[in-house]
Amino acid sequence: MSQAESLTAAAVPVASVSRRRLGVVVFTAGAGTLATEIAASRLLAPYFGSSTVVWANIIGLILVYLSVGYWIGGKVADRRPEPRLLGWIVLVAALVIAVLPFVARPVLDFTVQGLDTISVGAVVGSFFAALLLFAVPVTLLGAVSPFAVRLALDDVSQAGAVAGRLYALSTLGSIVGTFVSALVAIPLIGTQRTMLGAAALLVLAAALMLGSRWQILTVGMAALLFVPAETVKATSGLVYETESAYQYIQVLQRSDGSRVLRLNEGIVNHSVWRQDTVLTGGEWDMFLVVPPLLDHPPERMLVIGNAGGTTARAFGELYPDVEIDGVEIDPKVTEVGRRYLGLGDNPRLHVVTADGRPYLAGTDERYDIIAVDAYHQPYIPFYLATEEFFRLVRDHLAPGGAVALNVAAVPRDERLSDALGTTMLTQFPSVWRWRALEFNQLLLAFPEQVSQAELESRIAAISPAAESLVPEFRARLSPMGRTGEPLTDDRAPVEWLTDRMILGYAAHGGELEQDLLPTAPGP
């Protein structure tokens, strides 16, 4: 700002306003901003997921909006340092936030459909969705703090103290908004009502600047909390949906009577239930080849990523002597599995509510089979794909046991499974790849050398109900070799590898339709 502009700004009279009221407004704006950011992730998750790239888009754009808001707020406050104008800024932001839950679904549907036609995924989709939905309210809330500083500044000699105090209040509000919305409000009342509650508080803050008669609008806004929440994501065959502390959860019933579990954007099914058979024709069947590959009958199994219990349900029927610990981080998914997906059908399944790697680090148990199926679609969590993780897995594997890892792939691009195979070879002398499905492979690791001929011979002992898997296993089994550098906790670009596979496949006109494993009737 030039000296002339400074003199002009200083000459503009500032209407008197209580610093306490300004503090409340700034605190509430900070809380509203972060509550909106957390809610943004929940609104986008059913359509684009909640991967790191989606969060990067949300956080990056929120920071852009705040930066623009800071700049605009400072410029406007210098020209019109009026408390009522600040009140209107907060009020408009509140009204837009209140509208968002009701307009988000058609906007997100339009975004998904439009971008699907040009084969663009979560990266671009979530960027434009966040751009369309959250630009106005977050930019307006960003303008609040510099505007409040201008109103509170009576003496230039106190500028640093005033700015520091108000920005500290804004940050404190952001902290409260983050934890209250994520840990309390969304789990208890859902995303829609969390946003409406934040909007009501912002209206109340705006009334401090506009006058008490505007407080009646807070009552009207609060009344919207009693409006029944709409279906989060309308989908054909929807049986049940909910939002947990971790994700969006759907159960769908298909035309053949089977049920499927879908999480977040619903690209794939995370569990499948069929009334007449435990076989699914999908990636869960891959794990059924593992028991006969051991040099002894398995007694204990660990499933990291139990979800709705599809794999454990199949083991309960085909290998009923195996005791299973199924680790699932989300207790709501376990509840849904028991209610809709037959998770309780296997009496030898013990569900552990935990994250897979911390669970392994904190237990002394050893397992004959450790199955890793913990996708946060379409990504494997990076910390379940590193050299350090597989060292932990090796230490919890019983002699003669095996590790089985479900890995995403696309036709003609196996860079992710190559990287994982290379990493597993740092801890296991024998690693094999079974190209079971078009978009799923099973990596098998053994703590001792085992030949392909031996594996192909052992597979004959598979449960008769799953013997249709044997020809595919023998035809598509191959040893893994070292390719590039292993993944480590320090550097594991799992999402980068996965994104390159997906985008490369989409660029060549591919569609994510899965060729299923052969199925057989249950015993």
Side-chain angles (χ1 to χ4, degrees), residues 55-67:
W55 266 108
N57 279 336
I58 294 171
I59 295 172
L61 285 173
I62 292 292
L63 291 174
V64 169
Y65 302 151
L66 288 174
S67 297

Side-chain angles (χ1 to χ4, degrees), residues 72-84:
I72 292 175
K75 297 287 285 185
V76 172
D78 279 345
R79 286 167 172 76
R80 292 184 57 189
E82 303 166 10
R84 289 184 59 81

Side-chain angles (χ1 to χ4, degrees), residues 248-295:
Y248 169 72
I249 302 169
Q250 273 187 334
V251 177
L252 307 177
Q253 183 144 334
R254 301 188 292 194
S255 58
D256 62 0
S258 63
R259 295 180 192 143
V260 297
L261 171 71
R262 290 185 179 175
L263 306 176
N264 290 324
E265 71 275 26
I267 293 176
V268 300
N269 300 324
H270 287 75
S271 291
V272 172
W273 174 86
R274 291 181 173 177
Q275 186 173 11
D276 57 342
T277 178
V278 295
L279 298 181
T280 66
E283 57 265 32
W284 307 273
D285 295 355
M286 298 189 301
F287 295 103
L288 299 176
V289 307
V290 181
L293 301 180
L294 309 186
D295 60 9

Side-chain angles (χ1 to χ4, degrees), residues 55-56 113 237 248 326 385 423 429 454:
W55 266 108
Q113 293 167 9
Y248 169 72
T423 305
E454 193 169 2

